[in-house]
Amino acid sequence: MTLETSKRLEKTRRRFLSKDEKQVLKDKVTADLAMRVPSTPNVYDLVWNYEKFDVYFFSNLRSSNEELESLFKRSFNLSLIRVFPYTAADLLSGLSDQERDILLGLSPTQFSD
């Protein structure tokens, strides 16, 4: 926005731009940037195995995950558990008590500097 404002001021040989000119310039810059940035599709995936009492939901949007959790709670008075590698190992793999104790003692490893 600063670069475009500077160009416009230099071109018109003025010291300032009007409010309307600033808004038009802002809209143009926003539209130009939107064309350069690739869009990210919204992804939703839901699997409900009613017999096993399992619901799997995936979305690349945090708000969608939170919305499903609150909708599920309001609809069925049940809370969903977010499954990520740790909870999958703890809840879904049938660990013995000794193995679960080992899992609880693990700490994350940093793979980058």
Side-chain angles (χ1 to χ4, degrees), residues 7-100:
K7 288 179 188 177
R8 180 69 55 95
L9 289 173
E10 187 178 317
K11 184 178 180 180
T12 59
R13 294 187 179 140
R14 296 186 317 190
R15 291 186 171 187
F16 62 91
L17 296 175
S18 70
K19 183 178 179 181
D20 291 337
E21 288 174 312
K22 288 179 185 177
Q23 185 61 45
V24 168
L25 195 60
K26 181 179 178 183
D27 292 343
K28 180 186 177 302
V29 169
T30 303
D32 289 346
L33 290 174
M35 294 295 288
R36 292 182 186 178
V37 176
S39 61
T40 303
N42 295 337
V43 177
Y44 309 97
D45 217 359
L46 178 74
V47 176
W48 187 349
N49 185 338
Y50 188 74
E51 288 81 22
K52 290 187 177 183
F53 305 106
D54 290 335
V55 175
Y56 294 98
F57 178 72
F58 170 78
S59 174
N60 59 342
L61 299 173
R62 178 181 295 166
S63 60
S64 298
N65 290 316
E66 292 169 355
E67 182 74 23
L68 178 71
E69 286 178 16
S70 62
L71 178 64
F72 208 83
K73 180 70 173 172
R74 285 192 317 263
S75 299
F76 305 108
N77 199 26
L78 296 171
S79 297
L80 295 175
I81 299 171
R82 291 186 182 200
V83 177
F84 49 94
Y86 176 82
T87 55
D90 184 28
L91 301 173
L92 304 176
S93 62
L95 297 175
S96 67
D97 289 340
Q98 182 182 9
E99 291 168 329
R100 184 171 268 151

